[in-house]
Amino acid sequence: CSSDLAKQNRFRLSTSAAERWDMIVKAEAHLTSALGRKPTQKQIAEEVGTSERTVREYQAKFQRAAQAA
């Protein structure tokens, strides 16, 4: 059933993780506009106040989730 397949592709995200991802997305959009190019992970991390590793991990996690959807 297609609804079963859709349920398999979902994943739960804690509120704090969702808020962190939202901050990363907004920072990336803001920096892209301000810089006129895609920002580096370091620039995003500095804007959000987190590590490059955290930005890299979140981007990888959400990229995999988007591809699975």
Side-chain angles (χ1 to χ4, degrees):
C1 177
S2 63
S3 65
D4 291 336
L5 181 61
K7 289 177 186 175
Q8 291 173 358
N9 288 331
R10 290 187 200 156
F11 62 96
R12 291 206 174 266
L13 191 62
S14 70
T15 302
S16 62
E19 289 171 352
R20 175 69 53 97
W21 176 242
D22 187 54
M23 290 171 61
I24 290 170
V25 169
K26 287 178 180 177
E28 185 172 5
H30 167 77
L31 289 167
T32 298
S33 177
L35 299 171
R37 61 170 173 78
K38 185 175 178 177
T40 65
Q41 290 174 336
K42 180 178 181 178
Q43 291 169 320
I44 296 168
E46 289 172 353
E47 181 81 6
V48 173
T50 192
S51 68
E52 285 180 70
R53 179 180 178 178
T54 298
V55 171
R56 187 171 45 253
E57 289 172 352
Y58 273 75
Q59 288 176 332
K61 181 187 299 186
F62 283 91
Q63 183 177 13
R64 284 191 306 270
Q67 290 173 347

